[in-house]
Amino acid sequence: QVQLVESGGGLVQPWGSLKLSCAASRYIFSIYVMGWYRQAPGKQRELVAQVTSGGTKNYADSVKGRFTISRDGAVNTVYLQMNSLKPEDTAVYYCNAGGYDGSWGQGTQVTVSS
């Protein structure tokens, strides 16, 4: 198990940007996959972006070209840079370590609205 703490959510206008952070309790490069998921009201939780221990990155089609996942081993933190935000990006964003059956953060709300 790894403890995860997200931060950086908030209210932003359409086409704005936010950067989410996920601080992990242990060395993130030893975790085979870390990612960001999101869940909008009335919808299932969906994968947004993930990065493997080897550095391979995957993105949901809906965020390709707008969102970027990155990581910093010196501070055991994974980031999600979100640009050109749309109202449909509104959701609670969760950090994950180890896949869907792994560890989860508490979530951070992202609201995109004018």
Side-chain angles (χ1 to χ4, degrees):
Q1 282 283 4
V2 57
Q3 309 303 314
L4 303 169
V5 179
E6 302 106 332
S7 60
L11 173 65
V12 63
Q13 292 187 341
W15 302 108
S17 297
L18 278 177
K19 187 173 185 177
L20 306 183
S21 300
C22 171
S25 60
R26 65 179 175 92
Y27 187 52
I28 59 173
F29 281 74
S30 69
I31 302 171
Y32 80 93
V33 64
M34 292 198 69
W36 289 93
Y37 288 71
R38 67 187 181 187
Q39 187 167 19
K43 295 188 176 181
Q44 289 190 329
R45 192 171 296 188
E46 63 175 358
L47 176 67
V48 176
Q50 63 181 189
V51 56
T52 69
S53 56
T56 300
K57 299 178 181 180
N58 295 299
Y59 297 92
D61 287 343
S62 59
V63 307
K64 282 180 181 176
R66 300 188 297 122
F67 290 11
T68 302
I69 189 170
S70 62
R71 51 185 180 165
D72 185 343
V75 291
N76 290 327
T77 300
V78 177
Y79 304 97
L80 185 69
Q81 177 67 49
M82 305 185 294
N83 298 328
S84 301
L85 283 160
K86 305 175 182 180
E88 51 263 44
D89 294 317
T90 295
V92 178
Y93 284 70
Y94 296 92
C95 181
N96 169 269
Y100 209 86
D101 293 329
S103 301
W104 293 90
Q106 81 284 359
T108 185
Q109 177 71 46
V110 171
T111 302
V112 185
S113 175
S114 55

Coordinates of all heavy atoms in Angstrom, one line a residue, residues 23-74:
A23 N 1.2 13.5 -4.1 CA 2.4 13.2 -3.3 C 2.2 11.7 -2.8 O 1.2 11.4 -2.1 CB 2.6 14.1 -2.2
A24 N 3.2 10.9 -3.0 CA 3.2 9.5 -2.6 C 4.1 9.3 -1.4 O 5.1 10.0 -1.2 CB 3.7 8.6 -3.8
S25 N 3.8 8.2 -0.6 CA 4.5 8.0 0.6 C 5.8 7.1 0.4 O 6.5 6.9 1.3 CB 3.6 7.2 1.6 OG 3.1 6.0 1.0
R26 N 6.0 6.7 -0.9 CA 7.2 6.0 -1.2 C 7.7 6.3 -2.6 O 7.0 6.9 -3.3 CB 7.1 4.5 -0.9 CG 6.1 3.7 -1.8 CD 6.1 2.2 -1.4 NE 5.2 1.4 -2.2 CZ 5.4 0.8 -3.3 NH1 6.6 0.9 -3.9 NH2 4.5 0.1 -3.9
Y27 N 8.9 5.7 -2.9 CA 9.5 6.0 -4.2 C 8.6 5.7 -5.3 O 8.4 4.5 -5.6 CB 10.8 5.3 -4.2 CG 11.7 5.7 -5.4 CD1 12.0 7.0 -5.7 CD2 12.3 4.7 -6.2 CE1 12.8 7.3 -6.7 CE2 13.1 5.0 -7.2 CZ 13.4 6.3 -7.5 OH 14.2 6.6 -8.6
I28 N 8.2 6.6 -6.1 CA 7.2 6.4 -7.2 C 7.8 5.6 -8.3 O 7.1 4.9 -9.1 CB 6.6 7.7 -7.7 CG1 7.7 8.7 -8.2 CG2 5.8 8.4 -6.6 CD1 7.1 9.9 -8.9
F29 N 9.1 5.7 -8.6 CA 9.7 4.9 -9.7 C 9.7 3.4 -9.4 O 9.9 2.7 -10.4 CB 11.1 5.4 -10.0 CG 11.1 6.7 -10.8 CD1 10.7 7.9 -10.2 CD2 11.4 6.8 -12.1 CE1 10.7 9.1 -10.9 CE2 11.4 8.0 -12.8 CZ 11.0 9.1 -12.2
S30 N 9.4 3.0 -8.2 CA 9.3 1.6 -7.9 C 7.9 1.0 -8.1 O 7.6 -0.2 -8.0 CB 9.7 1.3 -6.5 OG 8.8 1.8 -5.6
I31 N 7.0 1.9 -8.4 CA 5.6 1.6 -8.6 C 5.3 1.4 -10.1 O 5.6 2.2 -10.9 CB 4.6 2.6 -8.1 CG1 4.9 2.9 -6.6 CG2 3.2 2.3 -8.3 CD1 4.2 4.1 -6.0
Y32 N 4.8 0.2 -10.5 CA 4.8 -0.1 -11.9 C 4.0 0.8 -12.8 O 4.2 1.0 -14.0 CB 4.5 -1.6 -12.1 CG 3.0 -2.0 -12.1 CD1 2.3 -2.0 -13.2 CD2 2.4 -2.3 -10.9 CE1 0.9 -2.3 -13.2 CE2 1.1 -2.6 -10.8 CZ 0.3 -2.6 -12.0 OH -1.0 -2.9 -11.9
V33 N 2.9 1.3 -12.2 CA 2.1 2.3 -12.9 C 1.5 3.3 -12.0 O 1.0 2.9 -10.9 CB 1.1 1.6 -13.8 CG1 0.0 0.8 -13.0 CG2 0.3 2.6 -14.7
M34 N 1.5 4.5 -12.3 CA 0.8 5.5 -11.6 C -0.1 6.3 -12.6 O 0.3 6.5 -13.7 CB 1.7 6.5 -10.8 CG 2.5 5.8 -9.7 SD 3.2 6.9 -8.6 CE 1.7 7.6 -7.8
G35 N -1.2 6.8 -12.1 CA -2.1 7.5 -13.0 C -3.1 8.4 -12.3 O -3.2 8.5 -11.1
W36 N -3.9 9.0 -13.2 CA -5.0 9.9 -12.7 C -6.2 9.4 -13.4 O -6.3 9.1 -14.6 CB -4.7 11.4 -13.2 CG -3.6 12.1 -12.5 CD1 -2.3 12.1 -12.8 CD2 -3.7 12.8 -11.2 NE1 -1.6 12.9 -11.9 CE2 -2.5 13.3 -10.9 CE3 -4.8 13.1 -10.4 CZ2 -2.2 14.0 -9.8 CZ3 -4.6 13.8 -9.3 CH2 -3.3 14.3 -9.0
Y37 N -7.3 9.3 -12.5 CA -8.6 9.0 -13.0 C -9.5 10.1 -12.6 O -9.2 11.0 -11.8 CB -9.1 7.7 -12.2 CG -8.4 6.4 -12.7 CD1 -7.1 6.2 -12.3 CD2 -9.1 5.4 -13.4 CE1 -6.5 5.0 -12.7 CE2 -8.5 4.2 -13.7 CZ -7.2 4.0 -13.4 OH -6.6 2.9 -13.8
R38 N -10.7 10.1 -13.2 CA -11.7 11.1 -12.8 C -13.1 10.5 -12.8 O -13.3 9.5 -13.5 CB -11.7 12.3 -13.7 CG -12.1 12.0 -15.2 CD -11.9 13.3 -16.0 NE -12.3 13.0 -17.4 CZ -12.1 13.9 -18.4 NH1 -11.4 15.0 -18.2 NH2 -12.5 13.6 -19.6
Q39 N -13.9 11.1 -12.0 CA -15.3 10.6 -11.9 C -16.2 11.8 -11.9 O -16.2 12.6 -10.9 CB -15.5 9.7 -10.7 CG -16.9 9.1 -10.7 CD -17.0 8.0 -9.7 OE1 -16.2 7.9 -8.7 NE2 -18.0 7.1 -9.8
A40 N -17.1 12.0 -12.9 CA -18.1 13.0 -12.9 C -19.4 12.5 -12.3 O -19.6 11.3 -12.3 CB -18.3 13.4 -14.4
P41 N -20.2 13.4 -11.9 CA -21.5 13.0 -11.2 C -22.3 12.1 -12.2 O -22.5 12.4 -13.4 CB -22.2 14.3 -11.0 CG -21.1 15.3 -10.8 CD -20.1 14.9 -11.8
G42 N -22.7 11.0 -11.7 CA -23.5 10.0 -12.4 C -22.8 9.2 -13.5 O -23.4 8.5 -14.2
K43 N -21.5 9.3 -13.4 CA -20.7 8.6 -14.4 C -19.7 7.7 -13.7 O -19.4 7.8 -12.5 CB -19.9 9.5 -15.3 CG -20.8 10.3 -16.2 CD -20.0 11.1 -17.3 CE -21.0 11.8 -18.2 NZ -20.2 12.6 -19.3
Q44 N -19.2 6.7 -14.4 CA -18.2 5.8 -13.9 C -16.8 6.5 -13.8 O -16.5 7.4 -14.6 CB -18.1 4.5 -14.7 CG -19.3 3.6 -14.6 CD -19.0 2.2 -15.3 OE1 -18.3 2.1 -16.3 NE2 -19.7 1.2 -14.7
R45 N -16.0 6.0 -12.9 CA -14.6 6.5 -12.9 C -13.9 6.0 -14.1 O -14.0 4.9 -14.5 CB -13.9 5.9 -11.6 CG -12.6 6.6 -11.3 CD -12.1 6.2 -9.9 NE -13.0 6.6 -8.9 CZ -12.6 6.4 -7.6 NH1 -11.5 5.9 -7.2 NH2 -13.5 6.8 -6.6
E46 N -13.1 7.0 -14.7 CA -12.4 6.7 -16.0 C -11.0 7.1 -15.9 O -10.6 8.0 -15.2 CB -13.1 7.4 -17.1 CG -13.0 8.9 -17.1 CD -13.6 9.6 -18.3 OE1 -14.0 8.9 -19.3 OE2 -13.6 10.8 -18.3
L47 N -10.1 6.4 -16.6 CA -8.7 6.7 -16.7 C -8.5 7.9 -17.5 O -9.0 8.1 -18.6 CB -7.9 5.5 -17.3 CG -6.5 5.7 -17.5 CD1 -5.7 5.9 -16.2 CD2 -5.9 4.6 -18.3
V48 N -7.7 8.8 -17.0 CA -7.3 10.1 -17.7 C -5.9 9.9 -18.3 O -5.7 10.2 -19.5 CB -7.4 11.3 -16.7 CG1 -6.9 12.5 -17.4 CG2 -8.8 11.5 -16.2
A49 N -5.0 9.6 -17.4 CA -3.6 9.4 -17.9 C -2.8 8.5 -16.9 O -3.2 8.5 -15.8 CB -2.9 10.8 -17.9
Q50 N -1.8 7.8 -17.5 CA -1.0 7.0 -16.6 C 0.4 7.0 -17.1 O 0.6 7.2 -18.3 CB -1.6 5.6 -16.5 CG -1.7 4.8 -17.8 CD -2.3 3.4 -17.6 OE1 -2.2 2.6 -18.5 NE2 -2.8 3.2 -16.4
V51 N 1.3 6.7 -16.2 CA 2.7 6.5 -16.6 C 3.3 5.3 -15.9 O 3.0 5.1 -14.7 CB 3.5 7.8 -16.2 CG1 3.4 8.1 -14.7 CG2 5.0 7.7 -16.6
T52 N 4.0 4.5 -16.7 CA 4.6 3.2 -16.1 C 5.9 3.6 -15.5 O 6.5 4.6 -15.7 CB 4.7 2.2 -17.2 OG1 5.8 2.6 -18.1 CG2 3.4 2.0 -18.0
S53 N 6.5 2.6 -14.8 CA 7.8 2.8 -14.2 C 8.8 3.0 -15.2 O 9.9 3.6 -15.0 CB 8.1 1.6 -13.3 OG 8.0 0.4 -14.0
G54 N 8.6 2.4 -16.4 CA 9.6 2.6 -17.5 C 9.4 3.9 -18.3 O 10.2 4.2 -19.2
G55 N 8.4 4.7 -17.9 CA 8.2 6.0 -18.5 C 7.2 6.1 -19.6 O 7.0 7.1 -20.2
T56 N 6.5 4.9 -20.0 CA 5.5 5.0 -21.0 C 4.3 5.7 -20.5 O 3.8 5.4 -19.4 CB 5.1 3.5 -21.4 OG1 6.3 2.9 -21.9 CG2 4.1 3.6 -22.5
K57 N 3.7 6.6 -21.3 CA 2.6 7.4 -20.9 C 1.4 7.0 -21.8 O 1.6 6.8 -23.0 CB 2.9 8.8 -21.0 CG 4.0 9.3 -20.1 CD 4.4 10.7 -20.2 CE 5.5 11.1 -19.3 NZ 5.8 12.6 -19.4
N58 N 0.2 7.0 -21.2 CA -1.0 6.8 -22.0 C -2.0 7.8 -21.5 O -2.1 8.2 -20.4 CB -1.6 5.4 -21.7 CG -0.6 4.3 -22.2 OD1 -0.4 4.2 -23.4 ND2 -0.2 3.4 -21.3
Y59 N -2.9 8.2 -22.5 CA -3.9 9.2 -22.2 C -5.2 8.8 -22.8 O -5.3 8.1 -23.8 CB -3.5 10.5 -22.9 CG -2.2 11.2 -22.3 CD1 -1.0 10.9 -22.9 CD2 -2.3 12.0 -21.2 CE1 0.2 11.5 -22.5 CE2 -1.1 12.6 -20.7 CZ 0.1 12.3 -21.3 OH 1.2 12.9 -20.9
A60 N -6.3 9.2 -22.1 CA -7.6 9.0 -22.7 C -7.7 9.9 -24.0 O -7.1 11.0 -24.0 CB -8.7 9.5 -21.7
D61 N -8.4 9.4 -24.9 CA -8.6 10.2 -26.2 C -9.1 11.6 -25.9 O -8.7 12.5 -26.6 CB -9.5 9.4 -27.1 CG -8.9 8.2 -27.7 OD1 -7.6 8.1 -27.7 OD2 -9.6 7.3 -28.3
S62 N -10.0 11.7 -25.0 CA -10.6 13.0 -24.7 C -9.7 14.1 -24.2 O -10.0 15.2 -24.2 CB -11.8 12.8 -23.7 OG -11.3 12.3 -22.5
V63 N -8.5 13.7 -23.7 CA -7.6 14.6 -23.1 C -6.2 14.7 -23.9 O -5.4 15.6 -23.5 CB -7.3 14.3 -21.6 CG1 -8.6 14.2 -20.8 CG2 -6.4 13.1 -21.5
K64 N -6.1 13.9 -24.9 CA -4.8 13.9 -25.7 C -4.6 15.3 -26.2 O -5.5 15.9 -26.8 CB -4.9 12.9 -26.8 CG -4.6 11.5 -26.3 CD -4.6 10.5 -27.5 CE -4.4 9.1 -27.0 NZ -4.5 8.1 -28.1
G65 N -3.3 15.8 -26.1 CA -3.0 17.1 -26.6 C -3.3 18.2 -25.7 O -2.8 19.3 -25.9
R66 N -4.0 17.9 -24.6 CA -4.4 19.0 -23.6 C -3.8 18.7 -22.2 O -3.4 19.6 -21.5 CB -5.9 19.1 -23.5 CG -6.6 19.4 -24.8 CD -8.1 19.7 -24.6 NE -8.8 18.6 -24.0 CZ -9.5 18.6 -22.9 NH1 -9.5 19.7 -22.1 NH2 -10.2 17.5 -22.5
F67 N -3.7 17.4 -21.9 CA -3.2 17.1 -20.5 C -1.9 16.4 -20.7 O -1.6 15.7 -21.6 CB -4.2 16.1 -19.9 CG -5.5 16.6 -19.4 CD1 -5.9 17.9 -19.8 CD2 -6.4 15.9 -18.6 CE1 -7.2 18.4 -19.4 CE2 -7.6 16.4 -18.2 CZ -8.0 17.6 -18.6
T68 N -1.0 16.6 -19.6 CA 0.3 16.0 -19.6 C 0.5 15.4 -18.2 O 0.4 16.1 -17.2 CB 1.4 17.0 -20.0 OG1 1.1 17.5 -21.3 CG2 2.7 16.3 -20.0
I69 N 0.9 14.1 -18.2 CA 1.3 13.5 -16.9 C 2.8 13.5 -16.8 O 3.5 13.3 -17.8 CB 0.7 12.1 -16.8 CG1 0.9 11.5 -15.4 CG2 1.3 11.2 -17.8 CD1 0.2 10.2 -15.1
S70 N 3.3 13.8 -15.6 CA 4.7 13.8 -15.4 C 5.0 13.4 -13.9 O 4.1 13.3 -13.1 CB 5.3 15.2 -15.6 OG 4.8 16.2 -14.8
R71 N 6.3 13.2 -13.6 CA 6.6 12.7 -12.3 C 8.0 13.2 -11.9 O 8.8 13.5 -12.7 CB 6.6 11.2 -12.2 CG 7.4 10.5 -13.3 CD 7.3 9.0 -13.3 NE 8.1 8.5 -14.4 CZ 8.5 7.2 -14.5 NH1 8.0 6.3 -13.6 NH2 9.2 6.8 -15.5
D72 N 8.2 13.4 -10.6 CA 9.4 13.8 -10.0 C 9.8 12.9 -8.9 O 9.2 13.0 -7.8 CB 9.3 15.3 -9.5 CG 10.6 15.9 -9.1 OD1 11.6 15.1 -8.8 OD2 10.7 17.1 -8.9
G73 N 10.8 12.1 -9.1 CA 11.2 11.1 -8.1 C 11.9 11.7 -6.9 O 11.9 11.1 -5.9
A74 N 12.4 12.9 -7.1 CA 13.1 13.5 -5.9 C 12.1 13.9 -4.8 O 12.5 13.9 -3.6 CB 13.8 14.8 -6.4

